[in-house]
Amino acid sequence: MKVIHLTDTLPGAHKKWGGAERVAEKTIDLAAKFGAENMVFCLKPDIWNKNYPFFVLRTMEERFGWRVASAIRSILPFDFLAYFETLKLLKKIKPDVVHLHNVSEISLAPILAAKRLKIKVALAVYDYWYFCPKRILIKKDGALCRDFHGIACQGCFEPKRLPRIENLFLPLRRKIFDYFLNKIDKFLTLSEASKNLLADYGISKDRIVVIPAPITPVFEKAISGDSKKIIFAAWLSPHKGLHIILEAMPEVLQSAPDAKLIVSANGGDAGYKQGIENLIKSLGMENNVLILAKKDADIGELIKEAALVVIPEQWENMSPVLMLEGALAGMPMVLSRVGGIPEFISDERFLAEHNNPTDWAKKILWIFQNQDEARRIMQEEIKPKVEKMLDADHLKGSIKNLYESK
């Protein structure tokens, strides 16, 4: 079986990548284990260190520049250069399945190329770009959104590249994207919550397959001890919720004055970062918060010495990669009670109301005061559950069934 995987980037091959690209890479690896002949169509890599071939897709960005190309893709997800490049390659390779991962830069044009040649298309949903121009389904006031894209986006989404043109097309965005989505044979989501969200949008449940992210352990088992270190590792963006943890810290420090929040920043929004720095200063917590650039932070070492990891998602993240990695290491965590998170970790002692700093402080302090018990629960109850959900043989079979299904 020949499978073409389309993804903007991949870990190790491109400088810019995140959790979605990690999942894409692991999915490709699992497909190889049941005998799939994998090939990747992607943007130009910095280096290629994979054991499967790749083909570079040119995009409009080469001709018009990033600003214009990204503005066009936000309202019309069709890159004509990527379409013709894909069509030419598909005619030559003749794959059985085309599997799209994160392709917001390549665009959805390869869907039309594949369907023109009557090739099965699967789309992995790692965020909500297909239903929301902000990708995260959050309203301007921070509330979770179920209006999806359309007229409601005006006044919420603030385009920065070509605002007049983008705002003009916002009411039409759903019709435009639906033209592409209606041609998808199967949608792949990482959790039941994400499947239900797609169903709320109007996609038939029989077109949606839930396959958890095929993540494998990367951290050593959490060590015991009386630590007061809290780890946050994510993009510095509002939907990742670092501001909620900072607002919770004064209450934490009242009971645990030696607590320290260590932030591993994976890049993000410059304006938000400045706001975070201002918030730290206004709360007088310069000595209690340490911000490290991702390149300067060994997450594995930080986690071994920490009391807990915080994952304060402010959007309905279907399955944070760090959550899975932390669970597989038996690491105590506090996570937002949103999206697919409670499907993996349902113990209320580790879940907090996503936008309530007081609840976050309460849950963090419980772990500080019950560190041995928190580790025991994670290692003896939650870790085995997540290991079963991420069983490689089961996931391999699920991916194989996805590709072979009619």
Side-chain angles (χ1 to χ4, degrees), residues 182-224:
N182 288 338
K183 298 182 182 299
I184 301 295
D185 295 292
K186 291 290 183 181
F187 292 85
L188 187 160
T189 68
L190 304 178
S191 67
E192 290 290 338
S194 186
K195 177 179 179 176
N196 291 334
L197 188 149
L198 267 64
D200 288 345
Y201 180 79
I203 296 171
S204 174
K205 284 192 174 184
D206 61 10
R207 297 171 64 205
I208 310 169
V209 178
V210 178
I211 303 178
I215 297 301
T216 53
V218 295
F219 303 135
E220 294 182 23
K221 179 179 177 181
I223 62 174
S224 59

Side-chain angles (χ1 to χ4, degrees), residues 111-112 174-184:
I111 296 171
L112 302 189
R174 176 164 186 152
K175 288 186 176 180
I176 294 170
F177 272 71
D178 283 359
Y179 175 77
F180 295 88
L181 298 180
N182 288 338
K183 298 182 182 299
I184 301 295

Side-chain angles (χ1 to χ4, degrees), residues 68-339:
V68 173
S70 58
I72 293 173
R73 286 191 298 257
S74 73
I75 53 178
L76 180 62
F78 182 85
D79 189 300
F80 68 91
L81 279 177
Y83 171 80
F84 286 111
E85 294 266 323
T86 303
L87 184 63
K88 179 178 65 176
L89 288 167
L90 293 181
K91 285 181 177 178
K92 180 180 179 180
I93 297 170
K94 296 181 174 62
D96 300 287
V97 179
V98 168
H99 187 160
L100 281 77
H101 299 274
N102 258 11
V103 290
S104 57
E105 293 186 45
I106 290 172
S107 85
L108 301 182
I111 296 171
L112 302 189
K115 299 316 292 182
R116 179 174 172 178
L117 300 175
K118 298 181 179 180
I119 300 170
K120 179 176 180 176
V121 177
L123 173 66
V125 178
Y126 300 131
D127 63 30
Y128 299 123
W129 174 61
Y130 315 99
F131 321 112
C132 168
K134 291 163 60 174
R135 311 178 75 105
I136 50 178
L137 286 171
I138 294 179
K139 296 183 179 181
K140 196 169 185 178
D141 62 1
L144 301 177
C145 177
R146 272 296 186 281
D147 295 328
F148 301 109
H149 45 190
I151 294 175
C153 297
Q154 292 181 325
C156 177
F157 175 59
E158 298 176 352
K160 299 178 181 179
R161 297 175 283 270
L162 298 175
R164 290 184 180 179
I165 296 176
E166 290 184 75
N167 275 321
L168 181 65
F169 276 88
L170 273 177
L172 300 175
R173 191 179 193 270
R174 176 164 186 152
K175 288 186 176 180
I176 294 170
F177 272 71
D178 283 359
Y179 175 77
F180 295 88
L181 298 180
N182 288 338
K183 298 182 182 299
I184 301 295
D185 295 292
K186 291 290 183 181
F187 292 85
L188 187 160
T189 68
L190 304 178
S191 67
E192 290 290 338
S194 186
K195 177 179 179 176
N196 291 334
L197 188 149
L198 267 64
D200 288 345
Y201 180 79
I203 296 171
S204 174
K205 284 192 174 184
D206 61 10
R207 297 171 64 205
I208 310 169
V209 178
V210 178
I211 303 178
I215 297 301
T216 53
V218 295
F219 303 135
E220 294 182 23
K221 179 179 177 181
I223 62 174
S224 59
D226 185 26
S227 171
K228 293 295 187 292
K229 292 181 180 177
I230 306 165
I231 305 298
F232 171 95
W235 295 91
L236 292 186
S237 299
H239 68 285
K240 288 299 182 180
L242 177 57
H243 58 286
I244 299 296
I245 303 304
L246 291 176
E247 291 168 7
M249 284 298 290
E251 188 172 344
V252 171
L253 291 169
Q254 286 182 5
S255 298
D258 55 340
K260 191 159 191 174
L261 173 63
I262 301 175
V263 176
S264 173
N266 299 352
D269 181 84
Y272 181 73
K273 181 180 180 182
Q274 185 60 56
I276 288 296
E277 292 173 352
N278 293 341
L279 180 58
I280 293 170
K281 290 178 182 177
S282 69
L283 294 173
M285 297 193 305
E286 293 94 329
N287 295 327
N288 298 98
V289 181
L290 175 63
I291 298 180
L292 302 172
K294 181 180 179 181
K295 63 182 179 63
D296 298 323
D298 184 332
I299 297 299
E301 289 302 313
L302 291 175
I303 282 179
K304 282 199 301 183
E305 299 176 359
L308 71 149
V309 172
V310 288
I311 305 181
E313 297 285 2
Q314 298 302 293
W315 69 298
E316 295 188 77
N317 192 326
M318 55 287 292
S319 174
V321 170
L322 183 59
M323 171 192 72
L324 301 177
E325 293 172 338
L328 292 174
M331 182 70 200
M333 294 179 280
V334 181
L335 310 100
S336 294
R337 194 187 298 105
V338 294

